[in-house]
Amino acid sequence: MDGASSSPFFLGFDLSTQSLKAVLISEDSSVAHESAVHFDRDLPHHGTTNGAIRGPGIGEVTSPVHMWLEAFDLILERMKAAGVDFGRILAISGDGQQHGSVYWSLDAEKMLTTLDPSKPLDQLAPGAFSLPNAPIWQDSSTTRECRELEAAVGGAQALADLTGSRAYERFTGTQIAKIRRVSPEAYNATSRVSLVSSFMPSVFLGAIAPIEMHAEAPNCEPKLGPNRYREEACLAGSALTGLSDGVSIQACVDVDDLCDNPATVVALSTPGDAILSLGTSTTFLLSIPPADTPPKRFTTSHLLSHPTTLDAQIAMLCYKNGALAREQVRDRYANGDWTRFNELVEQTVVGNDGYLGFYFPLPEIIPPNVHGNFLFHVTPSATDVASVLEDTMPAAAHPRAILESQFLSIRARITAILPPDAPPLQRLVVCGGSSANPVIRQLAADVFGMRVFIAGQQGAAEGGAQLARYAWWRTQNGGVGTFEEMRATDPMGGRMKCVAEPRDANVAVYAGLIDAYQKCEDRVVMLCEAFA
């Protein structure tokens, strides 16, 4: 890396389930450096599987906070070894997994303010934490707290109307409430609770960073600390000034963090775009511009405030069965080979001759709690929906069936979410592992009727870097200017590439399949409820 230049750098971190990633960008938004620490591979002594520990209780999933601290030390060492000039880094930001909570001890504030710069960051563990492991988004042990929360406000739909989401077991508020119930000693020994996303800036600030969160456990307000309310001055990218003496980046002036899905939106889109993340889970993010009519709220989707655009919102659909389900179909019907999988998709016709397949190896989020495989055949007019056995559905039809059903599930819900006065969606940006597959990209273009674009693979970490850059950019402009105004000057042409164009005839076929898809999904829900 060229150390002679004095142009600024901006650093973004992504503390995800399986790894910690860092992306360094320059003033013109170019990516200058990327590093990563994979928890299982690089820090195996913590005993995680895919970055997490399951148990001991039913449904409990946590990650060691000590492991995260070691990951920060290791990634900074790797950046140093790669020749990164830390003196050019003017701001740091980042993101963490969307749900998760870190529990600081009564000694935490003092330990943060007295970090020894000659020692690694893991000097904070275990003394700074009342719980050594942080509950994360995969946790499903809080069903009791979810039902109690919904009942307190009049039901799941009432909670969705109020907050943008119903209560889910992975949500941080219900995690806090459960810990207060089952571990009162640890709860009473907790001075503050951080989100995973606010844990990161706390380490860099040398003080516990504020969060945007309302209390969901009785008497827990003091443990959450001051809220950062939803005002223009508190949009992501605003500055939290400070720097921990325990971190050797002395030029940092601004630190702010948010959750991973909004960070991906920041990196890869502007209001009017949609993002399809094709990773372990399948996640669809709609970046909705400000509108007179607000988006509709449902118990199967989430509505979030946009991190950089006041009054804009993000609608999110999250599916647990993403890559895992696609890989199982690939292994069973395409000999474990993606090339063969793609050949089978291309050998079958659009609409799959009426065959629809639903594949849920894990209990699904949308529709809720469905589990198993379900196969159907529908007539062209969708007046008849018939369940079929596996041996009566052509083996070659399964690869197309899983792609069409996964995408039609999203397509069927988009119109319902968007407000009637929302402008048409501009483009579909795909990311995640399956976004490299050209056949999957083309099928997405046809189902959604949108041009498909790809960008960098480290969307969330780059989103953090962009927010750091934005905080600095605002200071250079007297504290004024929007995120979109900053990004308008970026040379985006070389980074965002159109990889698929919708084909009108195929778009029409899929539009005509939405009713049939919905009938099949309703049948799946009915079958699962009957056997529950």
Side-chain angles (χ1 to χ4, degrees), residues 182-196:
V182 304
S183 303
E185 291 184 1
Y187 185 82
N188 291 332
T190 299
S191 64
R192 292 277 295 275
V193 180
S194 286
L195 304 178
V196 176

Side-chain angles (χ1 to χ4, degrees), residues 286 296 298 410-420 425 514:
L286 278 173
K296 293 182 180 179
F298 297 92
I410 299 170
R411 178 69 181 84
R413 289 170 165 85
I414 293 175
T415 302
I417 293 173
L418 284 173
L425 296 174
I514 292 175

